[in-house]
Amino acid sequence: MVGPHGDVIGPHGEAIDAAATTPVAGHPAAVPELPWRRAARLAAGAGLALTMLGAPLGLLWAELAPNTPVVKAPGGAIYGQPQPEQPIAADGWFSLLGLTFGVLAAVALWFLLRRLRGPVGLLAAVLGAFGAALVAWQVGRRVGLSAYQRLLASAPDGRAFEKPADLRAGGIEWALGVLPVPHGNLLLPAFGAAVTYTLLAGWSRWPSLRPEPEPGPAGLSWASAATPAPPAGPEPPAPGAAAPPRG
């Protein structure tokens, strides 16, 4: 929308520099900053979308992580072999999948939501990755859990069966009985997202982290260099000035 003085008006009534937002061939146009309310809504939606992706991540973890052989005993279930490797493998698969998810989530938010780059985008990536880790943990550990609990309650002593994968190197502890404190590899997706997003911001060549017109050789923007101002005409002679000599 064009204002009465030829300036460009944004969707929220803000004035936008037309030269800064006009794309020039071979050079990116400037990406304006979002109003804070719209940025908050967009960040919340991005974090929620990442959190929902934790469900397929948990199903993938349950598919890759091995179950642990156990034997029914009078006091419950005991490991079928001393020092089993399956719980360690389950933790390892969760760590690997979670860290990869955090890195990919940060890269996706960086390139898909360019107008959200900055602290708000970082917060959305970290909280979304942590939410996805919680969902993945709860979804993955419940695959086959009902069958295991049924066997644990009804199987005779000495019966061998398998325990579904769960985390031993991570989870949630309750401080003072009321404050949940996540720890261990449950934090790896958020850690991967934070490190990746910070590195992308550090490698960005634009101070605002959003694409901007690059300056030309004389320090002018490419947009202003591509549309030079028309040359001014000669000024009229002052009253009483001598006429120029005729040839």
Side-chain angles (χ1 to χ4, degrees):
M1 178 178 178
V2 180
H5 301 288
D7 51 347
V8 180
I9 306 300
H12 298 275
E14 71 275 11
I16 302 176
D17 185 3
T21 57
T22 302
V24 181
H27 300 280
V31 177
E33 185 177 0
L34 282 173
W36 70 270
R37 289 186 178 179
R38 187 178 176 187
R41 290 195 298 267
L42 191 58
L48 181 60
L50 290 177
T51 300
M52 294 176 62
L53 289 176
L57 181 66
L59 294 177
L60 178 61
W61 171 54
E63 182 66 24
L64 295 176
N67 295 334
T68 303
V70 295
V71 177
K72 176 66 180 298
I78 60 175
Y79 287 140
Q81 54 185 359
Q83 298 181 350
E85 299 179 354
Q86 289 84 359
I88 301 176
D91 279 319
W93 275 115
F94 189 90
S95 300
L96 179 61
L97 293 174
L99 189 60
T100 304
F101 179 87
V103 171
L104 294 179
V107 172
L109 260 62
W110 178 265
F111 287 104
L112 295 180
L113 301 178
R114 297 184 301 169
R115 301 181 67 183
L116 204 64
R117 290 179 181 177
V120 177
L122 174 62
L123 186 63
V126 171
L127 293 182
F130 176 67
L134 286 175
V135 173
W137 174 39
Q138 293 302 316
V139 170
R141 67 186 294 268
R142 280 173 168 77
V143 175
L145 183 60
S146 59
Y148 167 75
Q149 292 175 342
R150 185 171 59 253
L151 287 173
L152 187 63
S154 60
D157 292 346
R159 169 77 180 274
F161 48 96
E162 291 185 340
K163 180 181 179 181
D166 202 349
L167 292 182
R168 294 198 314 175
I172 294 181
E173 295 180 352
W174 293 89
L176 304 177
V178 294
L179 182 63
V181 180
H183 66 92
N185 52 6
L186 193 63
L187 298 174
L188 275 179
F191 174 77
V195 171
T196 303
Y197 202 95
T198 303
L199 289 177
L200 290 172
W203 291 335
S204 177
R205 54 179 174 174
W206 297 295
S208 65
L209 304 181
R210 296 179 297 276
E212 301 172 358
E214 300 181 5
L220 302 176
S221 67
W222 285 100
S224 60
T227 56
E235 297 182 358
R246 301 178 180 272

